[in-house]
């Protein structure tokens, strides 16, 4: 068992986080000096890393990247920059909800376009969008707006493209939150017109999180990209939109890199991979006579409640450091074995993403009229797995849930 000795960990947490903060401040200053010394030609472009301005050059483990923060786009500047624009937000699912409400709360001119009387239409009305005023059907909204935010589900983007494309007239901007449709256009048939700016802002989280972080005064991290720059202002517009929809900091990418990393990540460590690993570990424990609660606690509960939050807040090295020497020795011996066993699976997965197989599968499945019912039936299977039923009971036992 990984022992984290709650009290010891708690006090070290506080003490170490101070050390980490101090170390980080020192490291940032040192990094800025190093970058300037090593790359004199780029010196004038490298901002001091302790600066309060939005744009920063950050050394990510040896690779310097540009990261933008919202400091460069205060609300007044956004209001001025977009004063003549109407955002037509097409689709009101997870992202439509989060991005739309954040844009509206930022004081920008937003209208919503969804199919009439669908579940999104009703949800939009509940959130205060008014039919005929700022809520329309899809075609009407695309006609009225000049920044067209295509936030339909990826399968629906493909399905509705023949209707939407002719309405994307010169002077408009096309916006996506995923590179899926344009990158795999041979499968999706979504080929943006060549005479308009086409940009992307992809929040790294669900629309619910885009909204909740914004309301807390924080901001999600997002990536942004430009597919087509007709006006010469597409890059700047994408950055401004990143902040307008509620991003706290923004990384530059390309449509291709965004879609490949996103599809890969969610099938891997973010969802599919971690689920598979939990199941494999749990099953072996059960086959060896461990009780359901013991198998669950050693597989999921301790991971999510004790160890993974440490990785999130202070890093993998910190998590190792917070555990017993017995745990550390074992994990240090076994992580390379897991890595070697799993790497070929990840290589296959990346190839399957890159060659379009994952896109094809997603489009075919999610275009079926009964796709929601089919997904629901698979989720029901997960709900009925012993491990996740045990989880429900274990969560109930947490003092805060009693
Ligand atoms: N969800 C995330 O975590 C996330 C994160 C980053 C980026 N993204 C990207 O953001 C975009 C939107 O994703 P989402 O998760 O917000 O989508 P979603 O929740 O699946 O939203 C679906 C929207 O599409 C509409 N729709 C579905 N089929 C339609 C059809 N045939 N005709 C017209 N409308 C249709 C739905 O309207 P009805 O209610 O009427 O069916 C709903 O408004 C996607 O490109 C996605 O990849 C998503």
């Amino acid at each position: 068992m990984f022992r984290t000795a709650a009290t010891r960990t708690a006090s070290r947490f506080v003490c170490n986080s101070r050390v980490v903060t101090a170390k980080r401040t020192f490291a940032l200053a040192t990094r800025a000096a190093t970058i300037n010394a090593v790359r004199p030609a780029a010196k004038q472009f490298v901002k001091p890393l302790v600066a309060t301005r939005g744009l920063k050059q950050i050394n990510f483990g040896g690779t310097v990247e540009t990261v933008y923060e919202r400091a460069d786009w205060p609300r007044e500047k956004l209001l001025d920059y977009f004063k003549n624009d109407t955002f037509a937000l097409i689709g009101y699912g997870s992202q439509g909800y989060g991005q739309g409400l954040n844009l509206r709360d930022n004081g920008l001119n937003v209208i919503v376009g969804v199919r009439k009387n669908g579940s999104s239409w009703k949800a939009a009305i509940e959130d205060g969008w008014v039919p005929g005023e700022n809520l329309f059907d899809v075609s009407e909204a695309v006609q009225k707006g000049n920044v067209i935010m295509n936030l339909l589900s990826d399968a629906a983007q493909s399905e509705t493209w023949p209707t939407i494309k002719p309405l994307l007239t010169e002077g408009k901007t096309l916006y996506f939150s995923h590179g899926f449709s344009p990158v795999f256009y041979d499968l999706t048939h979504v080929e943006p017109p060549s005479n308009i700016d086409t940009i992307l802002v992809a929040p790294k989280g669900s629309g619910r999180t885009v909204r909740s972080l914004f309301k807390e005064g924080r901001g999600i991290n997002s990536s942004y990209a430009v597919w087509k720059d007709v006006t010469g202002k597409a890059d700047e517009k994408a950055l401004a939109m990143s902040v307008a929809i509620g991003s706290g900091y923004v990384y530059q990418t390309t449509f291709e890199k965004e879609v490949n990393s996103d599809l890969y990540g969610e099938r891997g460590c973010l969802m599919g991979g971690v689920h598979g690993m939990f199941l494999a570990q749990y099953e072996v424990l059960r086959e060896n006579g461990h009780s359901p609660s013991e198998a669950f606690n050693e597989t999921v509960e301790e991971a999510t409640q004790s160890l993974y939050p440490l990785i999130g807040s202070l890093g993998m090295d910190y998590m190792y450091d917070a555990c017993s020497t017995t745990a550390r020795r074992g994990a240090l011996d076994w992580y390379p074995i897991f890595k070697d066993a799993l790497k070929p699976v990840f290589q296959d997965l990346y190839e399957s993403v890159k060659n379009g197989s994952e896109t094809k599968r997603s489009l075919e499945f999610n275009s079926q009229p009964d796709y929601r019912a089919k997904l629901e039936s698979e989720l029901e299977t997960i709900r009925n797995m012993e491990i996740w039923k045990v989880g429900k009971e274990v969560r109930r036992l947490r003092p805060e849930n009693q």
Side-chain angles (χ1 to χ4, degrees), residues 90-97 99 113-123 138 150-157 159-160 176-181 201-208 210 258 262-263 266 366 371-372:
I90 308 304
Y92 199 74
S94 168
Q95 289 299 327
Y97 153 85
Q99 297 188 27
V114 286
R115 52 185 167 189
K116 275 189 175 153
N117 302 320
S119 56
S120 296
W121 179 269
K122 288 173 200 142
V138 172
N150 197 332
L151 296 179
L152 296 171
S153 69
D154 295 307
Q157 289 179 19
E159 212 177 305
T160 56
F176 293 97
S177 280
H178 200 4
F180 189 98
S181 292
V201 178
K204 300 286 123 191
S206 86
R208 301 274 147 196
V210 171
E258 190 283 330
D262 189 81
L263 295 178
E266 65 204 9
N366 294 326
Y371 83 98
R372 278 184 213 264

Side-chain angles (χ1 to χ4, degrees), residues 204-221:
K204 300 286 123 191
S206 86
R208 301 274 147 196
T209 320
V210 171
R211 181 66 180 154
S212 62
L213 289 177
F214 177 84
K215 286 204 321 202
E216 288 167 30
R218 297 160 68 198
I220 195 146
N221 66 325

Side-chain angles (χ1 to χ4, degrees), residues 142-143 145-148 164-174 193-197 230-231 237:
V142 177
Q143 279 164 323
N146 69 310
V147 179
I148 313 305
I164 291 179
K165 187 174 181 180
L167 307 175
L168 298 172
T169 47
E170 206 166 338
K172 298 204 182 211
T173 297
L174 179 58
S194 57
N195 62 342
I196 64 170
D197 287 350
V230 172
T231 60
K237 209 183 316 178

Side-chain angles (χ1 to χ4, degrees), residues 79-95:
L79 288 173
D80 185 56
Y81 189 78
F82 290 121
K83 62 178 181 288
N84 298 321
D85 293 309
T86 300
F87 297 95
L89 197 135
I90 308 304
Y92 199 74
S94 168
Q95 289 299 327

